[in-house]
Amino acid sequence: MPQTVVKAASPAGDGSEDVATCLQSARSLSALFLFDRSGSLSSSDPNGIRYDGLKVALQSLSRVTRPDGADVAIEVAVSAFDNNYYKARNVVEWTRINDGNDDDVSETIDEVIKKAKERTSPDGGTSFTSAMEGAFDDLKDRGSQGTCRVVFWFTDGADESGAVAGDSCRADSGVVDQMRQAGIVIVGLQLWPSNIIDPRPDDLEAMSTGKSPTLECGRNPIPTDWARGVFIRADDSAALRRLFGTLGNIVNGCAPQGDRGGKIDPGVRAMNVTIHTPKQVKAVRLDAPDGTIITAAPRGSTTQGGYTTLAQSDDSYVSLTVDFPPGEGAGEWTVSAGQAVASDDIEFCVFSGLHLTRADPKAAPKAGKAGEFAYQAVDKDGNVADLSVYKNVAVGASVVASNGDIRKATAERVGDQIVVRFKSEATDARLQVQLTAQLTTISGVELTPLAIDEGVGLTLSKAFPTISPIDQLDLGAAINTQPASATLTLVGSPMGASRVCFEKPTQIVVPEEASGATLDVRRGCVDLAQAETKTVTVSITTDDPTVGNGEAILPIRLVPVVGSEMDGQEALVNLPVIWRYENPRDPVVLVAVLVIASLLSVALPLIALGLANFLTARFQVSGLRGEVIPVVIGEDGPRRIEPLEGNTTAVIESYKTSVVPTTGHRKFRYGPVELVSKAYLSPLKAPTFVVRPIAAGYRVLSSVPPPTADGTVANASPGLGFLAIAVISEADLKNPSVGEVPAQLVVLVRDTSVASANLDPIMNCKIDWRVVTERWREGVDVRPGSTGGDDSTSGTTSFSHLDGGSNASTLDLGSMGHLDLGDD
C-alpha cells in the first residue's frame, strides 16, 4: 500500500512536544482550525472528506486529558481563508468540546461540523499572508498563563501572496516568528494529490516548521524557547481522515518508535498503534509481552487483562491508544488487523504517562538563604516513577523572582527525585520555578519532556505580613454573565502592625467578547494589627457571555513592621490571577424544550411537558469546585479536625477548593457521595435532585432542607451554587464513647460571588446540626468527656460564631436563595 500521509517536524524538534509539555500543567487548550476555502478544493476534495477528518480530530481532542487527571478545558474554533481571512467569530466561534457527557460532546462536535461546512465552501484564491495574520489575531486573546495554543492549518494549494519571501517570514518581526515567540504551535496540514503534475510547493512546510527542502521562514534554527512546528502531508483526499486522525497524538506528544516498531521499553505506560488498512477492520488483535491477548473493537473502548484500548477507524486506517496496567507493557508486541498489512503500514508511538509534582507541596524555604525544592515524576494514580529504568534523565531549571530578576538555580537528579536548588533574596515572597526533565529509554527513544511551571512561596521574616494563596489566585468560572471571584487571606505580622498594599492590576488578557473587563479589587493599603486576619475579595464580571480564559497580574506589596529589622524594605508579589469564561449549552436545552412543546402542543401536551421535565433534570456542573473536609460535629456545629492556618475557627475556605471532575450532568460522584437527578414523564411531578452516600452504613445531611428522617438520602440543589453535605458513619452515631461525631463534610460551590467568610454562616443557617447530635443519636448514652477522636480533636473551642442566628444582623441570608436554586 502506498504511503499517503507523511509527517515532518521542525529542524529544532517536534512541535508536538511543545503542546504536550504545556498540557501537563495547563488549564485549557485552544485549538484553531484554519481552513482553506479556495476554489481548488472543489476538485481536490469534491466529497468534503476534510469535514469527516475534522470530526475525527475533534473527537480525538475531546478525549485529551492532563497526565495528572486534572480538568482541562478543550476549546476549538474554525476560521477560514482564501484571498482574505474570515475570523472565527464569523465561521465557528470558540466552543468547549469536552464539557458534559458523551451525548453532550457529540452534539457539540456535530454543531461545529455543521457550521464549518456551511461557512467554508470553496471560493477564491490562496493567501498564506492573510491566513497567518488572521490566525495570530484570533489566538492573541486566548491568554497564555496555563493556556496551550495551536493552529491546525489545512490547505490544498500553493501560496499566491508571496508570504515566505515577504514580511510574514521576516526573522523576529514577521508574524510567523511572533507566533512562535508567543508559544503558538503551527501544524501545517497539506493535501497535494499525487496525480498533480506540478511539483509540490513547500512554502507551507517552511512556514510550519521553519525550513523545507528549498525554503526558510523566520529565524533558523528556531530558538529553543520558542514554539516549534509540525508539517503533515496527504497525497490523496482518501487519506484526509487519517491525516486529521494524527492530531490527537500530536497534542498528546506521542514519541515515535521508528524502526523499533512494537518493542516497548521499560518506563513506558501507554502506546498508540496506527495501522493503514485496505478496508475497514472488524477487530484488532494485540498480543502483549506478558501473554495477554487483547481483541480490540475498531471504535470505542475495550478493556482486557488490565489493558485498556481506545480506538477510532475508517475504511483506510485504525488507530488504537493502549494504556498499560502498572508494571506491564514492556517487551515485544505483535499486532494483527485481520487482513494483509505490510509492516511499514504499522506505526507505533509511546507515552511516559508521567507528570512532575513537588514531593512536599507545603515546603516553604526561608527567604534570603539557599533553598531547595524536591520534585518527583508520578503517574496518574500518584505512584512515584522509578527513574533508574531510563537510560538518561536530563534536567534543567530556572527560578525567577516577582520583579523579573533571575535567581541562581541548578537542578539535579537524586535517586527518584529531582532537586532544584536556588539562592533567594530576603524580600522574595514568591518565586516562579520552571523545571523540565527529558526521559530517554534504554533503546534511545526520547519521550516527551516532563515539565512544570509553578509559583512557590517562601517564608519571609516574621516582620512581614503574609498572603494566601501565593502561587496564583483562581477566580473560578464566570458563567454566562455571572461574576467570578475568590478571596485572598491576609495575616498580619506577629511582631506588630503591618500592611498589605494592592496596586492596579496589569497584563489583563480576556477573550475579545469580554474586552474592557477589569479586575474588581480594593486599591490601596490594608492595615493589619498584630497577627490580625482579614480577607480581600477579587472578582471579574462580563457583560456578554463568552468562552475562554482570563488572566491578569495583581501587584501586591508586603510592608513590614516599623522599627523591625526589615523596616524600609518591601516584598513585591506579582500574583497571577486566572479565571475561566463559560457559556454553557443550557440555552440549547431550553430551545429544545420549547420546540418539543410547540410540536406536540395540539395532540400531546402532557408528553411534551414530561419530556421537558426530563431535559431539565440536570445538575449545573460547569465551574464546580469542591473539598472533602474531615470534621467533628458537636452541639455548636462542625469544626475542622485540622484547623486552617491563620483562621482556626473557619470550616469552609474558598481557596481550599479545587475543580470537581464530573462524568455527567444527571449523576456523578465526588468523594464519599453520589449526586443523582431523576426525571418523571408525568408533567405533574417535578424532577428530584438528591445526594446519597456511596458506601453502606453511612447517613447524609445536606444544606437543602428538609432533612430526611433516616439520612439514607438528602436533598440537593440542581444549580449547585452552594451545597454542604455531612457524611456520618452509623457506627459513630451509635458509639457512646464518641462525643463530637466524626464526619466528612463535602462542600460543592459554583457561585463564586459569595465571599468565603459568608460560607460558614450560610451552611449553619441551612443545616440543623441537632439532627446529628440529638435526633440521630436518640437513645445513645454519650459518656461525659467523650471526644470525636484523638487528642487533635479535643478542646473547648466555641462554635457560637457558626450559629445562623448570630449572623442575622450582619448577613442577609435570605438573599442567598439563589445558592439553592442555582438556575442559570
Side-chain angles (χ1 to χ4, degrees), residues 46 61 83 212 216 263 274 308 315 386 405 439 442 451 518 537 540 572 614 659 661 685 763 774:
L61 290 177
N83 299 106
S212 68
E216 289 189 359
K263 297 178 181 178
T274 299
T308 300
D315 55 8
D386 177 7
D405 288 348
L439 308 179
I442 56 175
T518 58
T537 298
I540 189 80
L572 172 66
F614 174 77
V659 175
K685 195 167 185 180
M763 172 182 68
E774 297 179 12

Side-chain angles (χ1 to χ4, degrees), residues 188-494:
L189 310 171
Q190 186 172 54
L191 169 62
W192 190 258
S194 56
N195 60 357
I196 296 179
I197 299 176
D198 296 336
R200 179 183 66 84
D202 53 3
D203 40 10
L204 178 65
E205 182 176 352
M207 295 182 75
S208 301
T209 66
K211 190 174 184 179
S212 68
T214 63
L215 299 171
E216 289 189 359
C217 179
R219 193 196 292 190
N220 270 283
I222 297 174
T224 56
D225 57 345
W226 291 10
R228 297 159 295 177
V230 178
F231 172 74
I232 313 174
R233 184 183 80 248
D235 288 341
D236 57 72
S237 61
L240 276 179
R241 279 189 292 265
R242 187 157 70 251
L243 179 149
F244 279 95
T246 64
L247 302 189
N249 282 342
I250 288 175
V251 167
N252 283 308
C254 200
Q257 281 279 98
D259 294 338
R260 286 185 49 75
K263 297 178 181 178
I264 306 301
D265 287 336
V268 168
R269 288 164 178 76
M271 71 177 184
N272 176 271
V273 56
T274 299
I275 310 171
H276 308 301
T277 59
K279 59 182 180 180
Q280 175 71 58
V281 300
K282 295 181 179 179
V284 177
R285 171 172 167 158
L286 300 100
D287 289 65
D290 62 3
T292 301
I293 298 175
I294 306 164
T295 303
R299 294 188 181 92
S301 180
T302 304
T303 300
Q304 287 178 261
Y307 294 89
T308 300
T309 66
L310 185 63
Q312 59 186 29
S313 65
D314 65 11
D315 55 8
S316 65
Y317 87 109
V318 59
S319 178
L320 304 101
T321 298
V322 185
D323 286 318
F324 304 158
E328 302 294 341
E332 181 82 27
W333 284 75
T334 59
V335 179
S336 172
Q339 49 190 268
V341 175
S343 59
D344 289 345
D345 288 324
I346 302 177
E347 302 167 358
F348 289 83
C349 62
V350 293
F351 308 91
S352 71
L354 299 173
H355 63 280
L356 294 173
T357 62
R358 252 187 298 162
D360 181 6
K362 295 182 179 179
K366 289 184 178 180
K369 300 181 179 296
E372 65 178 40
F373 290 108
Y375 290 85
Q376 296 171 323
V378 301
D379 64 18
K380 61 183 178 181
D381 297 319
N383 300 311
V384 178
D386 177 7
L387 298 184
S388 67
V389 303
Y390 299 102
K391 179 180 180 180
N392 188 38
V393 180
V395 298
S398 69
V399 176
V400 182
S402 277
N403 62 3
D405 288 348
I406 298 174
R407 300 292 182 237
K408 184 178 180 180
T410 61
E412 177 188 10
R413 175 190 162 193
V414 180
D416 288 334
Q417 291 189 338
I418 300 170
V419 179
V420 177
R421 299 185 176 92
F422 59 90
K423 179 68 172 67
S424 63
E425 300 292 335
T427 54
D428 285 338
R430 180 187 185 278
L431 297 174
Q432 191 71 24
V433 177
Q434 294 180 320
L435 172 65
T436 60
Q438 174 70 68
L439 308 179
T440 303
T441 70
I442 56 175
S443 297
V445 177
E446 290 190 353
L447 303 174
T448 294
L450 308 182
I452 190 168
D453 185 354
E454 65 172 355
V456 294
L458 301 186
T459 301
L460 294 173
S461 160
K462 291 184 178 181
F464 284 101
T466 63
I467 61 171
S468 178
I470 199 167
D471 55 345
Q472 66 181 16
L473 184 64
D474 189 346
L475 305 186
I479 309 294
N480 295 325
T481 57
Q482 297 179 10
S485 66
T487 301
L488 270 174
T489 300
L490 320 180
V491 180
S493 164

Side-chain angles (χ1 to χ4, degrees), residues 799-811:
F799 292 93
S800 60
H801 68 290
L802 296 174
D803 189 336
S806 68
N807 289 278
S809 62
T810 58
L811 177 66

Side-chain angles (χ1 to χ4, degrees), residues 36-42 81-83 86 120-126:
D36 186 349
R37 52 164 293 176
S38 59
S40 58
L41 281 161
S42 297
F81 73 100
D82 46 32
N83 299 106
Y86 304 89
T120 60
S121 54
D123 183 33
T126 308

Side-chain angles (χ1 to χ4, degrees), residues 6 8 171 204 245 579 652 764 809:
V6 179
L204 178 65
W579 61 95
I652 306 172
N764 287 290
S809 62

Side-chain angles (χ1 to χ4, degrees), residues 704-729:
V704 180
T708 58
D710 59 3
T712 54
V713 298
N715 293 316
S717 54
L720 298 179
F722 170 77
L723 180 65
I725 310 146
V727 185
I728 304 148
S729 164

